[in-house]
Amino acid sequence: MTVITSTAHSRELGDELRRLRETCTDLGGRAMAIRLGWDPSKMSTIEHGKARASEVDLVQFLTACGKDADYLEMFRRRYEKAFDEYVIQMHDDLRTLVFAESTAKTLTNYTSNGLAGLIQTPEYADALYRLGGFVAEERIPDLVRFRGERQAILRRHNGPKCLFYVHELALRLQIGDASIMADQYARLLFDAHLIRVVPAHIVIPSSGCVLWEYEKAYPVAFGETDLAKLFVQDPGAIARTRLLFNHLDQVALDAGQSRSKLAEYVGQPRGDLDVSGPYLA
């Protein structure tokens, strides 16, 4: 076992090991450690993603949970990159994303050519997926439902403190029909306390990103394309992400001005259709 800095991916996989222990055995963490001949502190650090388990550790743990050789190999492949500062995942793999955002203390998001998934209405999300043309029709309802379920963190009493920077040009993109846009504008106005609007004339040379910060772990920067998700914990990249959000804080409208700007759009959906840009989380 090697103790190193945890990452969003290592904490997600550590949590998965904990859930496997709880669902596949009748053992608590201490009892499992005793069965494996480990110190209880080793069990805790591995299940919290704070230490890299050796391949032998993983085999011992997963075998005790009743997993076969195929499962062992699958988990080993997922685990081998868990502590890297840059982790790339397939776009359909959403487990690390959900764990990272739901366990964060603060979540800061900037979107340039769209609205963050956490502040989209179901109808807007559905229309957005259909406009892309690369998501199978039968998968769209599940993707929309999942996006809605993620939004529960905005209503949790102990959820992350969220701030969304939204470029005004994104507000002018018509996604779906006028009714969908009217409902989306109303939703944004309802969530105006979470939103800072970047005026249309301001140029921000960034496609958008998310910064998650934690009480007892290093920050994680997140970005995505239509093809892959990227989780970054490199200190230099985190510093650059902070510079972006510091700049946005300076150029964006303040809270009251942002609410007023959003109110201008309520009941006035735009007719121009322009769906260029990324499908952001």
Side-chain angles (χ1 to χ4, degrees):
M1 180 184 74
T2 304
V3 179
I4 53 180
T5 301
S6 69
T7 68
H9 193 32
S10 73
R11 293 192 293 275
E12 179 258 324
L13 289 174
D15 188 66
E16 186 170 339
L17 289 173
R18 176 192 58 78
R19 288 187 286 107
L20 283 171
R21 171 178 58 77
E22 293 177 347
T23 57
C24 299
T25 78
D26 58 356
L27 301 174
R30 183 177 180 84
M32 181 72 148
I34 292 172
R35 171 171 292 187
L36 296 176
W38 296 358
D39 185 282
S41 64
K42 175 176 177 176
M43 179 67 64
S44 176
T45 54
I46 287 176
E47 289 189 347
H48 284 88
K50 296 180 179 179
R52 180 190 291 277
S54 69
E55 191 161 333
V56 171
D57 291 337
L58 286 178
V59 170
Q60 291 177 335
F61 188 102
L62 295 172
T63 299
C65 292
K67 298 304 180 182
D68 60 19
D70 289 340
Y71 190 95
L72 291 171
E73 178 58 22
M74 178 275 295
F75 199 93
R76 184 194 66 77
R77 289 197 303 269
R78 290 176 56 204
Y79 195 81
E80 63 184 357
K81 302 293 185 182
F83 290 85
D84 290 359
E85 288 185 333
Y86 288 79
V87 175
I88 298 174
Q89 293 185 343
M90 298 294 291
H91 198 271
D92 289 345
D93 189 345
L94 299 170
R95 289 171 293 197
T96 304
L97 166 62
V98 173
F99 189 83
E101 69 183 9
S102 65
T103 55
K105 180 180 179 181
T106 65
L107 181 160
T108 310
N109 180 296
Y110 168 62
T111 53
S112 57
N113 292 331
L115 301 176
L118 290 175
I119 53 175
Q120 293 176 7
T121 65
E123 294 77 16
Y124 182 99
D126 182 272
L128 190 60
Y129 278 122
R130 295 180 189 281
L131 285 170
F134 51 82
V135 178
E137 176 93 13
E138 62 272 14
R139 295 190 60 238
I140 291 177
D142 286 340
L143 290 171
V144 172
R145 176 182 53 78
F146 182 75
R147 182 160 289 191
E149 290 172 352
R150 284 173 52 208
Q151 295 176 3
I153 67 169
L154 302 180
R155 300 184 293 274
R156 274 179 18 208
H157 75 279
N158 62 341
K161 181 180 179 180
C162 297
L163 178 60
F164 299 90
Y165 288 98
V166 177
H167 205 288
E168 188 176 0
L169 294 179
L171 299 177
R172 297 178 180 179
L173 300 177
Q174 181 165 318
I175 307 299
D177 60 23
S179 176
I180 288 174
M181 291 306 300
D183 289 344
Q184 180 62 69
Y185 291 142
R187 164 67 186 274
L188 294 175
L189 186 60
F190 179 80
D191 287 333
H193 61 292
L194 307 175
I195 296 171
R196 297 275 303 281
V197 176
V198 179
H201 69 278
I202 300 292
V203 177
I204 304 295
S206 170
S207 60
C209 63
V210 182
L211 180 65
W212 296 305
E213 298 184 86
Y214 303 89
E215 287 188 2
K216 298 181 180 180
Y218 286 98
V220 176
F222 171 78
E224 69 173 321
T225 70
D226 297 329
L227 303 177
K229 291 178 166 59
L230 176 64
F231 300 82
V232 182
Q233 206 159 292
D234 168 62
I238 297 298
R240 291 192 296 274
T241 301
R242 292 192 192 282
L243 287 175
L244 169 64
F245 286 122
N246 288 340
H247 179 63
L248 287 167
D249 181 58
Q250 295 172 9
V251 301
L253 302 179
D254 64 26
Q257 293 169 332
S258 294
R259 177 179 290 276
S260 297
K261 177 60 68 175
L262 291 170
E264 293 176 12
Y265 284 85
V266 174
Q268 301 178 38
R270 300 315 192 250
D272 295 333
L273 181 62
D274 180 358
V275 294
S276 60
Y279 285 58
L280 298 174

